[in-house]
C-alpha cells in the first residue's frame, strides 16, 4: 500500500507541476500580446493626428471686380487703363472663376479696331495696342457706390460730376470715365447699359 501510495503521490506531483507550468506560460504570454497590440496601435493614432493637422484650409472665394471710370479694381489690386492685356485677362479670370468665353478683334468700332475678351452675361474688356482700354458691363458687377445695370436714376446722384443728356444713343449719362444709358428720361429711369474707357459704342 505504501508503494501504491507513493506512486499516487508522484503522479499528483507531476500533474501539479505540469499545471503550474501551463499557468506560468499563459501568464507570461499575455503581457507580450498586450505590448504588441499597443505598439501597433500607437503609430496609427499618430498618423491620423498628423493628417488632420496637415489638412489645407478651404480657399476663400475671390472678390468680384469693382467698376471704375479709370479701369477696374479687384480687392486692393487696381487694373487701370493701359495695363497689359495678358495680366488683365488673367486677373479677371481669377476673380470671376472662369476664362473669357470669347476673344477676338472688332474692326467696326467707331474709334478704330479694338481687341476684346468677353465673359458672357458678365463683362467685356477692350484692348488697344496690347493695353487695357475699356470695359462694357453686361451682368451684376457694380461700382464702389453700388451703381450698375438696373440702378435707378436717383442712385446716379452719388457719381461725381454726373451729366445726363439726350444723345443719339438715348438718355445718356457720364461721370468722368464712366458712361451709360437710361431706359427713359423719367425720374425713375433705370440703367440699361454701362461702360468705362474706350469701347465699341456706336453713335
Amino acid at each position: 500500500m505504501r508503494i501504491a501510495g507513493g506512486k499516487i503521490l508522484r503522479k499528483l506531483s507531476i500533474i501539479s507541476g505540469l499545471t503550474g507550468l501551463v499557468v506560468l506560460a499563459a501568464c507570461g504570454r499575455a503581457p507580450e500580446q498586450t505590448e504588441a497590440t499597443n505598439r501597433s496601435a500607437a503609430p496609427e493614432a499618430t498618423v491620423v493626428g498628423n493628417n488632420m493637422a496637415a489638412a489645407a484650409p478651404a480657399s476663400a472665394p475671390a472678390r468680384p471686380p469693382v467698376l471704375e471710370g479709370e479701369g477696374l479694381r479687384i480687392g486692393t489690386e487696381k487694373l487701370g487703363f493701359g495695363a497689359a492685356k495678358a495680366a488683365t485677362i488673367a486677373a479677371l479670370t481669377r476673380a470671376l472663376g472662369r476664362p473669357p468665353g470669347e476673344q477676338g478683334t472688332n474692326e467696326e468700332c467707331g474709334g478704330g479696331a479694338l481687341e476684346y475678351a468677353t465673359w458672357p452675361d458678365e463683362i467685356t474688356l477692350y484692348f488697344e495696342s496690347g493695353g487695357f482700354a475699356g470695359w462694357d458691363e453686361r451682368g451684376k458687377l457694380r461700382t464702389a457706390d453700388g451703381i450698375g445695370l438696373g440702378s435707378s436714376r436717383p442712385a446716379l446722384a452719388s457719381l461725381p460730376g454726373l451729366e445726363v443728356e439726350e444723345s443719339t444713343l438715348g438718355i445718356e449719362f457720364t461721370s468722368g470715365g464712366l458712361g451709360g444709358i437710361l431706359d427713359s428720361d423719367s425720374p425713375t429711369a433705370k440703367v440699361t447699359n454701362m461702360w468705362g474707357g474706350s469701347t465699341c459704342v456706336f453713335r
Side-chain angles (χ1 to χ4, degrees), residues 34-138:
T34 303
E35 282 184 31
T37 303
N38 289 341
R39 282 199 301 271
S40 63
E44 293 178 4
T46 301
V47 170
V48 172
N50 289 341
N51 287 344
M52 291 175 65
S59 57
R63 295 183 180 181
V66 174
L67 306 175
E68 295 186 342
E70 299 78 30
L72 298 170
R73 185 178 295 278
I74 303 174
T76 58
E77 179 184 8
K78 182 175 178 63
L79 294 171
F81 294 140
K85 175 182 176 180
T88 303
I89 291 177
L92 261 291
T93 296
R94 289 192 300 270
L96 298 176
R98 56 193 171 102
E102 182 182 354
Q103 296 188 60
T105 301
N106 192 330
E107 302 284 353
E108 301 179 355
C109 297
L114 291 174
E115 295 178 295
Y116 66 87
T118 295
W119 283 260
D121 301 320
E122 196 66 81
I123 193 170
T124 294
L125 304 186
Y126 290 96
F127 304 92
E128 187 173 21
S129 302
F132 182 26
W135 53 263
D136 184 0
E137 170 59 7
R138 298 168 180 268

Side-chain angles (χ1 to χ4, degrees), residues 9-57:
L9 288 174
R10 281 197 298 274
K11 287 182 179 180
L12 289 175
S13 297
I14 292 169
I15 292 170
S16 298
L18 290 173
T19 304
L21 288 174
V22 171
V23 171
L24 288 173
C27 292
R29 281 197 299 270
E32 292 177 3
Q33 292 173 349
T34 303
E35 282 184 31
T37 303
N38 289 341
R39 282 199 301 271
S40 63
E44 293 178 4
T46 301
V47 170
V48 172
N50 289 341
N51 287 344
M52 291 175 65

Side-chain angles (χ1 to χ4, degrees), residues 153 164-166 170-172 182-190:
R153 182 168 180 171
V164 180
E165 61 182 3
E166 186 172 359
I171 306 301
E172 186 175 355
L182 294 165
D183 60 7
S184 71
D185 61 355
S186 73
T188 59
K190 304 288 186 182

